[in-house]
């Protein structure tokens, strides 16, 4: 079938919205009609050329939600008409990692997915007979996409898909960082560095876990206002004295849990240095640039602080994303506040511009 999609033809260049060919689903796959897709920083990270694993040409986009139109042979967990959230982090439920509660990094299709292919090592996307690779196994900057069954989370049809799409990446990453990776304890003190989509999700996750004090640190007063709406008890303008401010707040010990959601290696260091002596946990969610390293003084670690990385918030997507969506519908998370701009597919590059200008939290492409 012919579809319109936003293709990354060259790094550090605008995406080109054009007509491409999409083959039907093979065994274990489903054809999804996209209804909404968030424009996430990870898409911009790859488009800029900063992603060491990036490739071209590819159809970008991974924060999608839509409706299953057709399924391939052997598909049992979704059927035509189901509402789904796309998962760049699949869950086969059978591999060693899926069966282990310590990780969400499914092994089933990881090798092919990292190369831009579907399970059988080929693509369903092409142009004039030449293959176009799938981005993060999703490629949701498109009217339709074909994805593995194990990378689709079936959600209630009651959820607006222009809200549900945010659970495909940023919001689930933040919520999961607090609830899964850090497992924030009730009554604790938390500090979240960064009030973008992931950071605000982490603030909400800390609140849902019963944290007593939640400090959010960011450069933007507007974003800090949103952090208060998600449960932050304190909001501070970021600066070189932030670590000392946290120590002053905590009798010199540091916060029980800190979360980095900026991608800055300097902020990652601040998150470690402001974690509590003895048991503080610094959770790193941000993606640093190619070749960057985090500089940590070892004595911060040998005095009891720990560092954890969090990919997609430790969320096992097919199981937990539907639960998160249900909590949104129950009023536990204010998702409406995150949708700043509604765009068409033709405006996808405008979404990147708004992101770089820090204008709002999330632009959402509406395919309806």
């Amino acid at each position: 079938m012919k579809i319109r999609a936003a293709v990354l033809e060259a790094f550090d260049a605008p995406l080109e919205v054009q007509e491409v060919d999409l083959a039907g689903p093979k065994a274990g796959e489903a054809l999804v009609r996209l209804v909404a897709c968030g424009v996430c920083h990870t898409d911009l990270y790859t488009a800029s050329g900063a992603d060491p694993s990036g490739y071209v040409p590819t159809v970008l986009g991974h924060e999608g939600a839509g409706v299953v139109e057709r399924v391939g042979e052997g598909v049992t967990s979704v059927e035509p008409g189901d509402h789904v959230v796309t998962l760049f982090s699949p869950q086969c439920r059978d591999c060693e990692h899926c069966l282990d509660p310590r990780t969400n990094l499914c092994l089933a299709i990881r090798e092919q997915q990292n190369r831009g292919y579907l399970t059988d090592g080929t693509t369903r996307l092409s142009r004039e007979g030449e293959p176009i690779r799938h981005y993060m196994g999703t490629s949701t900057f498109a009217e339709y996409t074909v994805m593995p069954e194990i990378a689709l989370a079936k959600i209630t049809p009651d959820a607006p898909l222009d809200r549900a799409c945010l659970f495909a990446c940023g919001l689930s990453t933040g919520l999961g960082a607090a609830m899964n990776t850090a497992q924030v304890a009730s009554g604790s003190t938390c500090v979240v560095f960064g009030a973008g989509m992931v950071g605000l999700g982490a603030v909400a996750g800390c609140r849902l876990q019963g944290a007593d004090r939640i400090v959010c640190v960011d450069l933007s007063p507007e974003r800090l206002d949103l952090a208060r709406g998600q449960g932050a008890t304190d909001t501070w303008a970021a600066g070189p004295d932030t670590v000392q401010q946290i120590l002053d707040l905590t009798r010199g010990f540091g916060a029980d849990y800190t979360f980095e959601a900026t991608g800055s290696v300097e902020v990652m260091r601040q998150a470690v240095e402001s974690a509590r002596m003895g048991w503080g946990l610094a959770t790193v969610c941000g993606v640093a640039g190619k070749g960057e390293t985090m500089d940590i003084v070892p004595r911060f670690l040998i005095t009891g602080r720990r560092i954890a990385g969090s990919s997609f918030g430790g969320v096992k997507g097919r199981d937990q994303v539907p639960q998160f969506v249900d909590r949104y519908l129950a009023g536990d998370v204010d998702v409406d506040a995150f949708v700043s701009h509604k765009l068409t597919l033709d405006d996808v590059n405008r979404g990147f511009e708004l992101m770089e200008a820090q204008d709002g939290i999330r632009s959402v492409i509406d395919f309806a």
Side-chain angles (χ1 to χ4, degrees):
M1 63 189 294
K2 299 286 187 182
I3 65 167
R4 296 178 72 246
V7 182
L8 176 66
E9 299 280 10
F11 296 121
D12 200 23
L15 304 188
E16 298 182 21
V17 179
Q18 56 190 263
E19 188 177 79
V20 301
D21 295 303
L22 179 67
K26 294 186 179 181
E29 299 171 355
L31 172 69
V32 177
R33 174 176 58 85
L34 276 304
V35 174
C37 182
V39 181
C40 177
H41 188 272
T42 307
D43 299 302
L44 177 60
Y45 174 70
T46 297
S48 71
D51 182 356
S53 61
Y55 39 77
V56 293
T58 183
V59 174
L60 292 184
H62 64 287
E63 204 171 68
V67 180
V68 174
E69 294 271 304
R70 183 154 40 106
V71 299
E73 181 183 352
V75 172
T76 59
S77 64
V78 295
E79 61 184 20
D82 284 345
H83 288 209
V84 292
V85 169
T86 62
L87 300 172
F88 72 90
S89 182
Q91 183 190 0
C92 73
R93 296 178 173 147
D94 290 320
C95 74
E96 179 182 358
H97 280 190
C98 281
L99 296 174
D100 194 312
R102 293 175 295 182
T103 184
N104 63 327
L105 298 179
C106 176
L107 300 172
I109 60 174
R110 191 172 184 83
E111 183 178 352
Q112 294 292 0
Q113 183 179 344
N114 288 345
R115 297 168 59 207
Y117 302 119
L118 294 188
T119 311
D120 64 354
T122 66
T123 76
R124 306 294 166 265
L125 291 161
S126 63
R127 181 183 49 212
E128 298 180 353
E130 293 298 318
I132 298 174
R133 285 197 265 182
H134 299 257
Y135 177 65
M136 298 178 74
T138 54
S139 288
T140 51
F141 286 169
E143 295 171 324
Y144 292 82
T145 189
V146 168
M147 291 183 56
E149 170 188 20
I150 64 172
L152 294 171
K154 179 181 175 180
I155 63 170
T156 173
D158 296 334
L161 293 174
D162 63 347
R163 274 32 177 189
C165 68
L166 303 186
F167 291 95
C169 182
L171 183 50
S172 290
T173 297
L175 287 167
M179 302 172 76
N180 296 336
T181 306
Q183 298 182 14
V184 167
S186 178
S188 58
T189 295
C190 303
V191 177
V192 178
F193 292 86
M197 182 82 269
V198 174
L200 292 171
V203 169
C206 292
R207 170 178 54 82
L208 292 173
Q209 289 290 104
D212 182 59
R213 194 156 198 173
I214 306 168
V215 179
C216 189
V217 182
D218 198 275
L219 292 168
S220 166
E222 294 78 16
R223 291 188 170 196
L224 291 175
D225 284 341
L226 289 172
R228 293 186 193 98
Q230 296 299 327
T233 58
D234 304 79
T235 52
W236 297 347
D241 298 326
T242 299
V243 172
Q244 188 58 53
Q245 286 181 271
I246 295 167
L247 294 176
D248 292 343
L249 178 72
T250 57
R251 297 178 295 129
F253 291 119
D256 299 304
Y257 304 93
T258 64
F259 299 87
E260 180 280 326
T262 69
S264 163
V265 294
E266 291 302 318
V267 176
M268 293 175 191
R269 177 172 179 164
Q270 287 185 316
V272 174
E273 294 182 354
S274 57
R276 196 192 194 284
M277 179 184 73
W279 62 68
L281 175 63
T283 300
V284 175
C285 305
V287 179
K290 184 188 301 183
E292 290 188 304
T293 59
M294 188 167 67
D295 184 16
I296 301 298
V297 177
R299 71 175 176 84
F300 284 101
L301 303 181
I302 61 174
T303 48
R305 298 165 187 84
R306 295 167 295 140
I307 306 172
S310 186
S311 175
F312 193 43
V315 172
K316 292 182 184 286
R318 294 166 77 193
D319 293 341
Q320 197 169 12
V321 164
Q323 296 170 10
F324 282 165
V325 172
D326 288 344
R327 296 200 72 166
Y328 149 59
L329 292 176
D332 291 342
V333 184
D334 179 12
V335 179
D336 294 349
F338 299 139
V339 180
S340 310
H341 303 277
K342 283 292 196 71
L343 307 174
T344 66
L345 180 61
D346 290 313
D347 295 326
V348 62
N349 291 303
R350 174 64 177 155
F352 287 158
E353 292 168 3
L354 291 166
M355 187 185 306
E356 290 186 303
Q358 291 201 354
D359 185 338
I361 298 301
R362 193 57 107 232
S363 296
V364 173
I365 296 171
D366 190 343
F367 293 96

